Amino acid sequence: MKQGGGTSSRALYERGLKVIPGGVNSPVRAFGAVGGVPVVFNRGEGPYLMDVDGQRFLDLVMSWGAIILGHAHPMIVSKITEAVKSGTSFGAPCPDEVKLAEHICGVVPSVERVRMVSSGTEAVMSAIRLSRAYTQRSKILKFRGCYHGHADAMLVRAGSGVATLGLPDSPGVPPGAAGDTLVARFNDLNSVIGLFDESKEDIAAVIVEPVAGNMGMIPPAKGFLEGLRSLTSDRGALLILDEVMTGFRVGPSGAQGLYGIAPDLTTFGKVIGGGFPVGAFGGQAEIMDQMAPAGPVYQAGTLSGNPIAMRAGLATLEYLADPSVYQGLESMSYAFAEALASEAERAGIALQTSVVGGMFGFYFAEDTVNSWEEAETCDRERFASFFHGMLEAGVYLPPSPFEACFISTTHGDPEVEYFRTAVRAAMSIL
Ligand code: HOZ
């Protein structure tokens, strides 16, 4: 079974291997966790991707959550086509970056100022620098299995990409860069309290994915985010919600709106770029105004606030301003998760599912998964076989058991039925 891509995908992958490390530009794409040849795509339309061998797949990766209105949405295509005609990069302020910032500040109450960057990694790296400067402390507390991009300080117990490759951390991260990163257990407040007690007022910030999406998908336990909010306030640390995945995907003001948490800083990415490379970080004016040139904390980028990316992001967020969009997304995510759960039950296979807004996850496991420690006990071999069965049946799932699934506004009832048929076929041979 483990074949993956067809003849043309294989040929391109083999060419790529000679000129790109591992043949891919981001490790999980190499199918390391599932085996076989990565599928090479050349077209997307709505909820579907077409590969270079002419096969069509129902896409449940959606560019790792970035594409929320479906591939090549005609309104986005028209807006960016119009924008491109006026130039592709100015390296200077442009109108749409102001409009996008106004929009974000208008719908996310904890964000009074926002700085645009070009990726989620950059957003996190900058938010961490800012929180250290603001608090004049050095340590950062993160959670095992949460991924916050590939900046040195964050490549500690970092979930999917690293776990998929079986690497504990990354060579090249000097001990000094990671030495101030403390690691607690997701959904376990006591582990956070313990680290605060040990580190004697030196924790600058706690950073967390409010819905963990890089160890499969794990929603926050009741009281976990609220507990982090009060602990950080009590101990003089900042709370950074990493909403690169969840921002504008799980609700109109992200996971913080859904769970009623006001962080000090938020990082964004994926959806806010409308399919272009955009990240952002924002928060209260008093903190954000420490950023240069308003304040002394340095950060810069030639393509930050790029006019095409800003136009795509703004058009996407304006479309999402109608809250009924999120009701539709969430009920569709539930429909996909239900198809998985009912087919697993029918096949007598132990499976756990979870849903938040426009994302869902599943584990081949007997019990509910609440942390990385529980996620890593899931049946990875069964996932790999299931992944390839689904691929054969025309469904593209994330090629790792430690990633979340994402849908778009173009995923509807016909796609759920198509998915259900594929799940039944794939489960019948597990
Ligand atoms: N691990 C990344 C998403 N959670 C992969 C991103 C990519 O390959 O594009």
Side-chain angles (χ1 to χ4, degrees):
M1 169 83 80
K2 280 184 189 170
Q3 183 190 316
T7 317
S8 303
S9 279
R10 180 179 291 274
L12 275 162
Y13 177 57
E14 280 167 4
R15 273 171 62 192
L17 279 171
K18 295 186 184 137
V19 285
I20 302 171
V24 292
N25 283 309
S26 192
V28 179
R29 301 177 194 181
F31 279 26
V34 292
V37 172
V39 185
V40 178
F41 298 105
N42 59 5
R43 198 159 71 82
E45 194 181 321
Y48 295 98
L49 279 176
M50 270 57 77
D51 76 0
V52 288
D53 289 286
Q55 299 185 83
R56 189 179 83 146
F57 298 87
L58 174 64
D59 186 10
L60 288 168
V61 179
M62 300 312 287
S63 191
W64 305 94
I67 304 293
I68 198 164
L69 304 185
H71 293 289
H73 190 286
M75 181 273 291
I76 301 291
V77 171
S78 140
K79 297 255 183 191
I80 59 179
T81 306
E82 186 188 43
V84 162
K85 290 179 189 156
S86 301
T88 54
S89 180
F90 308 139
C94 69
D96 284 336
E97 70 182 4
V98 180
K99 293 183 200 165
L100 182 56
E102 284 172 346
H103 187 97
I104 294 171
C105 294
V107 294
V108 186
S110 72
V111 176
E112 294 173 339
R113 304 258 201 280
V114 60
R115 168 66 56 86
M116 304 296 170
V117 292
S118 298
S119 70
T121 291
E122 242 189 285
V124 167
M125 198 178 80
S126 312
I128 283 173
R129 182 177 304 149
L130 174 58
S131 59
R132 283 176 162 152
Y134 183 78
T135 58
Q136 299 186 14
R137 295 177 175 189
S138 352
K139 296 195 186 331
I140 301 294
L141 190 152
K142 75 178 283 290
F143 294 88
R144 195 165 299 134
C146 280
Y147 178 69
H148 303 287
H150 63 89
D152 281 356
M154 290 292 99
L155 272 187
V156 182
R157 308 286 184 145
S160 171
V162 177
T164 297
L165 293 173
L167 301 172
D169 286 306
S170 173
V173 175
D180 279 328
T181 305
L182 309 174
V183 183
R185 184 176 162 125
F186 190 74
N187 275 337
D188 179 355
L189 274 179
N190 285 333
S191 70
V192 183
I193 295 169
L195 288 169
F196 265 104
D197 288 345
E198 277 165 34
S199 62
K200 301 199 177 39
E201 299 195 351
D202 197 25
I203 297 182
V206 170
I207 183 165
V208 65
E209 289 179 85
V211 176
N214 286 279
M215 45 174 152
M217 200 196 92
I218 306 181
K222 205 163 182 292
F224 177 61
L225 296 175
E226 293 82 348
L228 292 182
R229 178 62 285 181
S230 52
L231 249 178
T232 44
S233 300
D234 290 351
R235 309 285 185 113
L238 301 187
L239 177 64
I240 307 174
L241 286 194
D242 183 343
E243 296 233 42
V244 168
M245 256 185 201
T246 52
F248 299 97
R249 174 158 279 284
V250 301
S253 46
Q256 54 193 271
L258 206 60
Y259 299 110
I261 304 295
D264 300 296
L265 291 173
T266 303
T267 54
F268 298 99
K270 301 192 190 280
V271 169
I272 62 159
F276 283 79
V278 178
F281 61 105
Q284 296 150 26
E286 189 205 337
I287 304 173
M288 287 301 292
D289 283 347
Q290 294 297 310
M291 295 307 300
V297 182
Y298 194 72
Q299 177 279 327
T302 298
L303 288 164
S304 298
N306 170 267
I308 314 305
M310 295 295 101
R311 182 73 56 92
L314 181 62
T316 302
L317 297 201
E318 283 175 349
Y319 185 101
L320 295 170
D322 173 359
S324 70
V325 172
Y326 290 98
Q327 287 153 18
L329 277 169
E330 182 158 91
S331 60
M332 212 33 77
S333 294
Y334 271 110
F336 279 99
E338 191 282 325
L340 273 168
S342 58
E343 291 304 322
E345 196 180 337
R346 190 185 142 97
I349 290 169
L351 186 94
Q352 307 297 323
T353 61
S354 55
V355 172
V356 183
M359 56 198 282
F360 68 95
F362 66 95
Y363 298 95
F364 288 104
E366 297 286 341
D367 301 309
T368 315
V369 172
N370 289 307
S371 65
W372 169 254
E373 290 73 6
E374 291 168 3
E376 68 175 348
T377 66
C378 73
D379 190 335
R380 302 179 197 198
E381 272 178 38
R382 185 168 259 184
F383 177 89
S385 305
F386 180 65
F387 171 86
H388 280 285
M390 292 297 278
L391 203 60
E392 284 278 300
V395 175
Y396 188 66
L397 289 173
S400 160
F402 302 123
E403 298 284 355
C405 298
F406 299 95
I407 60 161
S408 73
T409 52
T410 58
H411 287 68
D413 293 335
E415 283 71 36
V416 174
E417 285 321 303
Y418 180 91
F419 179 72
R420 186 187 300 280
T421 307
V423 172
R424 188 168 299 179
M427 284 194 177
S428 72
I429 48 164
L430 286 185

